[in-house]
Amino acid sequence: MLQQPRPARRGTAFFARKLNELTDEELDGGSLLPGWTRRHVVAHVGYNARAIARLVEWAATGVETPMYPSTEVRDHEINFGATLSPIALRNLFDHSAVHLSVEWRDLPDQDWDNEVKTIQGRTVPASETVWMRTREVWIHAVDLGNGASFADIPEPVLARLLKDITSAWRTHGTDTGLLVKVTGTGLVFGDTRAADPTIISGALPAVVEWAAGRGASGVTAGGPRAGSDVPAAPKWI
């Protein structure tokens, strides 16, 4: 196997640990995502593994197998999954994670460069599926809302997340006048050409948490255009 999906597997193990800490009754509780219970988060992560496995199958066979037929189908699937019994929901997560791991294991070395398409319509090599899954499991482990934080996410994952998010802003044209600085490092993202930007600064976990739309704890806003409150981050996905 050419690609080594260790960050995704480590994140999957972390998500599994946070999930196993929850009682069946606690699955009914709210998550950190508006309108979603913890059940929705678990269902989403489980079905996401199946969707990414379809992309790996696409890379292996050359037969187009999209992640989902549409975003509407994806949303319906998540809402259905949230109604499953606790044991079925836990099995969905476990079995889908194993399925994806097997698909990665069995993908021939020469097929990791084969192109597939994400639900957002991006054309990427199959190797990108490892990062897609890594991002999902780490962020959504936090979204379960039972003690995990962005400080638990490995620094290389956080750094790539911040690069991804700010690149999406730039693509959408929503980073105008917004500069993001990670204190204690030389990492600077956003509108570096702005004359008087609003500057968001903080430690890497706090900055990524803010950029991902999960809160503004630990970050500050500065610059001549900054108000008294930290602004909400632009939408990125």
Side-chain angles (χ1 to χ4, degrees):
M1 181 178 63
L2 181 65
Q3 184 72 25
Q4 295 292 332
R6 292 191 186 96
R9 287 175 176 156
R10 182 179 173 188
T12 298
F14 183 72
F15 186 97
R17 176 157 64 86
K18 301 311 293 183
L19 173 58
N20 290 338
E21 289 172 0
L22 293 168
T23 66
D24 289 350
E25 292 75 19
E26 287 172 332
L27 291 174
D28 296 328
S31 73
L32 300 187
L33 294 174
W36 272 19
T37 66
R38 288 170 173 144
R39 288 174 159 277
H40 288 85
V41 175
V42 178
H44 169 58
V45 172
Y47 289 126
N48 172 263
R50 290 185 178 178
I52 292 176
R54 286 193 283 271
L55 294 186
V56 181
E57 292 168 9
W58 180 351
T61 65
V63 177
E64 183 171 346
T65 49
M67 293 183 71
Y68 308 94
S70 68
T71 55
E72 291 77 16
V73 170
R74 178 196 61 189
D75 294 345
H76 175 77
E77 190 174 56
I78 293 169
N79 289 327
F80 168 76
T83 69
L84 295 173
S85 67
I87 190 170
L89 195 58
R90 295 177 190 276
N91 285 339
L92 168 64
F93 169 75
D94 291 337
H95 296 167
S96 63
V98 171
H99 177 202
L100 176 57
S101 184
V102 170
E103 290 294 337
W104 276 332
R105 183 199 67 191
D106 293 345
L107 186 64
D109 290 357
Q110 68 271 16
D111 291 339
W112 282 92
D113 290 329
N114 291 347
E115 292 186 336
V116 295
K117 189 174 293 185
T118 71
I119 186 64
Q120 290 84 21
R122 294 189 304 122
T123 298
V124 299
S127 57
E128 184 72 6
T129 61
V130 175
W131 170 243
M132 291 165 61
R133 184 60 175 173
T134 300
R135 185 175 68 188
E136 289 288 326
V137 288
W138 281 108
I139 291 180
H140 290 312
V142 176
D143 289 332
L144 284 173
N146 65 319
S149 74
F150 278 76
D152 293 312
I153 301 176
E155 186 172 313
V157 175
L158 288 172
R160 183 164 178 183
L161 264 173
L162 188 55
K163 182 179 179 181
D164 271 14
I165 293 169
T166 53
S167 294
W169 295 344
R170 185 164 56 251
T171 299
H172 300 149
T174 55
D175 66 345
T176 302
L178 183 62
L179 202 62
V180 179
K181 292 186 175 182
V182 180
T183 55
T185 75
L187 295 176
V188 179
F189 299 90
D191 189 0
T192 57
R193 298 182 180 181
D196 298 307
T198 295
I199 302 171
I200 304 297
S201 58
L204 183 59
V207 168
V208 177
E209 180 179 11
W210 170 82
R214 265 67 174 182
S217 177
V219 298
T220 59
R225 299 183 181 181
S228 57
D229 297 323
V230 176
K235 185 178 179 181
W236 67 286
I237 196 169

